[in-house]
Structures are given as structure tokens and as C-alpha cells.
Amino acid sequence: MPLTNQQYDSILREYEEKQNRAQRQRLQRIAEIYTKIPEYEEIERSVSSVSVAQAKKLLDGDEHALLDLKHTLHRLSEKKLALLLSAGYPEDYLESAYDCPHCKDTGYIDGQKCHCLKQKIVSLLYEQSNIKEILARENFSVLSWEFYEGEDLYRFQQTVEACRHFIKNFASSHSNLFFYGSVGAGKTFLSNCIARELIEAGNLVLYFSASGLIDTLSGSSLYGKSREELYGISQDLYNCDLLIIDDLGTEYTNAYVVSQLFSCLNERLLRRKSTIISTNLSLEDLRNKYSERIFSRITSNYNLYKITGPDIRMYRKTMLNRK
């Protein structure tokens, strides 16, 4: 579910407006040239009359009519170009000024999405993910092993390998990841790395802190929205290609919250949609804090990875204060 039909139609309407704008600009420039260079318009008219005359000859059996037409049109085209240049205009002045010359603002080349359309889709997916700015600084390009050693390093390396495998096989297999362990050891960072790669590939990724997700599920952050909007939001939660829930365990919890969380996780499992959860809770704390049903769903349907090590955020803050 990269984009909804409504979102896709909106993008295509933008392309249609670009084409119309380019056409309007071209017509305005043609009118300008006809006013300033009357001879140019005369040549344009002669092109039509010559074409009609040669077409009649061709129908009458003149075998040389088509070749003569090509020579004549070429000569007239050179004359028009000379008039433009002598008047100080560039040779492409009357060509449509498309934003994307490759697809001529249609979004497609030979039935395939143009790079400009792909980029527009990716940009929209970034906006929807809630983490556009974060992903600009947290991705695999800045991955570092320097904060880990011993068992912590081994666990982190294994988890990174699992993340890359998750990305590589995302389109063909349904799986879920559960990151738990030390505070600040890189759980959220790895979630963001995955999000960046999948969004770039055109997938719809939604990110929520646990508290933000609960507010959305309970409706407390959706006051004033129409029934259609509420339905659309719930469908995005259930149908997005990847849902990331960060810092599970920090949200306020009661029986209603637990039931809403279970419904969300269970619905995504039923629809075979991937989810990544990160938490500072231990597995024992997870069992105690949430219902047995949630604990069972996670431990049975998620690949669990424990990440341990120093609090990297605190480490970097300390190093900055020392400078």
C-alpha cells in the first residue's frame, strides 16, 4: 500500500497542471513571436498549405511528393530558426518548458514511472512516516561499531545483519522485529535505518512513539476529525507496509489501552503486515505490564533481538560537554 488512490490521483493532477502550464506558456510565446516577427507566422501558414498540396500529389501517384515535402519542410524550419536567432531569441524558445523534460511532465516514460514521479512518491512517503528529519541523520551511512565491545558488539552485529536481511526480503516475506535491551543502545537507530531503506524503495512506513500510537488508537489525538478521516487513519495503521512502535512501555497503560494495542498488533498479523517494536522493557517486564495475549503474540510472531551496550546518547552528550 505505497499510496492511497486519492493520494495518487492528487499527484497525477499536479502533473496535469504542469502540462497545462507548459502549454499556456508555449501559446503565449507563439503569440509574442507572431507579433514581433510577422514573417515567422507566414512561414507557419505556408507549412500547412505545402503539406496539403504535397499530400494531394501523393494521392495522385506522385512518387516524389513525400521526399519533396521533407526537403521543403526542412528548408522552412531552417528559415524559422534563422528568424528566431536574428531577433535575439534562443532556438528552443517555442518548445514547451517542462519541469521534467524526460517524461514531459506526464510522470511516465514508455509505461514506466519516471524518476521524477518516483521521487515525488518517496517524498510523500517521508512526510507520512512522521520521521523525515530523523531519517536524514539516522541511517546506515552513519552506522558505527565504536560504542560496542565483547558480547554487546556481537549482539549488535547480529542484529544489524538481521535488519539488512529484513530489508532485502521485505517484499517477499512477512516478518516482524522486536528490539529490547539497554537504554540508548541503538534500538531506535536501527528502526530508523530500516525505515529509511524501505521508504526509499517506495514503501509506506509509519512511525509512532508508543504514547502517540495509544493516543491515536484511543482517539484522544483525533478530536474534531470526521468519521471518514478516522476510518482512513485506522486503515493506514492496519495496512501500511511497515508500522514502527518506538519506546513501548513508556505510555500510560490500563485495560483499555492494552486492548487497543492488542487489536492493532493482531490486526496487522492477520493482514500479514510487518511491525517493528522497540522497548527498554525486559521480556519479564513485558509479560507483567501487558496481557498474556500481547506477550504471546509478540514472542510467537516476532524475531526478538536483545541489544545491550552503553547509552550512546548520554556518551555523546558527555563527550560534547568535555570539549
Side-chain angles (χ1 to χ4, degrees):
M1 197 200 80
L3 292 178
T4 65
N5 290 335
Q6 183 178 4
Q7 291 167 326
Y8 198 73
D9 289 343
S10 177
I11 290 177
L12 293 184
R13 282 195 296 272
E14 288 182 30
Y15 273 95
E16 184 177 350
E17 176 54 35
K18 287 181 180 182
Q19 295 174 60
N20 292 336
R21 184 173 65 247
Q23 181 64 14
R24 287 195 300 270
Q25 183 185 58
R26 182 174 181 274
L27 292 176
Q28 289 171 355
R29 290 185 173 186
I30 289 174
E32 175 189 350
I33 294 300
Y34 284 178
T35 300
K36 294 187 176 181
I37 315 175
E39 188 179 353
Y40 193 99
E41 183 178 8
E42 293 175 8
I43 295 175
E44 290 270 86
R45 290 175 177 173
S46 67
V47 167
S48 298
S49 60
V50 167
S51 298
V52 171
Q54 293 301 108
K56 289 181 178 179
K57 289 182 179 181
L58 186 62
L59 291 174
D60 291 337
D62 187 342
E63 298 179 356
H64 302 289
L66 185 58
L67 182 60
D68 291 343
L69 176 61
K70 288 182 179 179
H71 289 319
T72 301
L73 293 180
H74 179 69
R75 186 177 68 254
L76 292 175
S77 179
E78 288 185 331
K79 191 173 182 179
K80 289 194 299 180
L81 177 59
L83 288 173
L84 274 180
L85 296 177
S86 64
Y89 290 98
E91 60 180 284
D92 62 349
Y93 188 68
L94 294 182
E95 295 179 9
S96 296
Y98 297 111
D99 287 354
C100 179
H102 304 285
C103 68
K104 294 181 171 54
D105 291 343
T106 64
Y108 287 86
I109 301 176
D110 297 328
Q112 301 296 317
K113 289 187 181 71
C114 179
H115 67 87
C116 66
L117 177 56
K118 291 180 180 178
Q119 185 58 52
K120 184 172 286 291
I121 291 173
V122 168
S123 297
L124 182 56
L125 292 173
Y126 267 123
E127 294 294 341
Q128 291 179 224
S129 70
N130 303 335
I131 50 175
K132 180 178 180 179
E133 295 181 358
I134 296 175
L135 298 189
R137 62 177 184 271
E138 293 197 1
N139 52 74
F140 280 123
S141 68
V142 296
L143 177 67
S144 174
W145 313 103
E146 65 176 302
F147 304 104
Y148 307 90
E149 57 183 23
E151 182 68 17
D152 295 339
L153 177 59
Y154 175 76
R155 283 176 171 165
F156 189 69
Q157 289 174 330
Q158 292 297 107
T159 306
V160 169
E161 183 178 345
C163 291
R164 295 191 185 279
H165 183 269
F166 178 85
I167 294 167
K168 181 180 179 180
N169 298 282
F170 186 78
S172 59
S173 65
H174 163 254
S175 59
N176 306 285
L177 302 177
F178 184 82
F179 300 141
Y180 69 106
S182 306
V183 175
K187 299 182 295 296
T188 299
F189 172 80
L190 290 180
S191 296
N192 292 339
C193 288
I194 293 173
R196 168 72 176 263
E197 297 295 317
L198 293 183
I199 290 174
E200 290 287 348
N203 296 286
L204 175 53
V205 179
L206 295 184
Y207 168 94
F208 283 90
S209 64
S211 57
L213 177 65
I214 294 304
D215 285 346
T216 299
L217 291 173
S218 63
S220 59
S221 64
L222 306 177
Y223 179 75
K225 292 188 178 295
S226 67
R227 180 178 300 177
E228 290 76 13
E229 288 176 305
L230 293 174
Y231 177 77
I233 291 170
S234 66
Q235 290 306 300
D236 282 347
L237 285 174
Y238 296 151
N239 290 325
C240 65
D241 299 305
L242 175 65
L243 174 64
I244 296 177
I245 306 173
D246 192 34
D247 264 350
L248 185 69
T250 58
E251 75 285 357
Y252 171 75
T253 305
N254 57 30
Y256 177 74
V257 165
V258 171
S259 67
Q260 290 294 305
L261 179 60
F262 173 81
S263 295
C264 179
L265 299 182
N266 193 56
E267 189 64 34
R268 288 188 61 79
L269 287 172
L270 293 174
R271 301 189 187 198
R272 298 185 61 78
K273 296 296 183 179
S274 295
T275 305
I276 296 177
I277 299 175
S278 66
T279 182
N280 295 326
L281 299 174
S282 65
L283 294 181
E284 183 179 357
D285 290 337
L286 180 70
R287 181 195 293 272
N288 294 334
K289 186 176 181 66
Y290 299 97
S291 67
E292 182 64 33
R293 292 195 303 171
I294 287 181
F295 182 80
S296 175
R297 286 294 186 278
I298 291 176
T299 55
S300 301
N301 296 281
Y302 286 64
N303 296 316
L304 278 57
Y305 295 96
K306 186 175 184 179
I307 304 176
T308 56
D311 187 333
I312 297 173
R313 285 166 294 193
M314 291 301 298
Y315 176 83
R316 285 175 171 165
K317 185 176 181 179
T318 301
M319 295 303 294
L320 287 174
N321 291 336
R322 289 179 180 178
K323 293 181 179 181

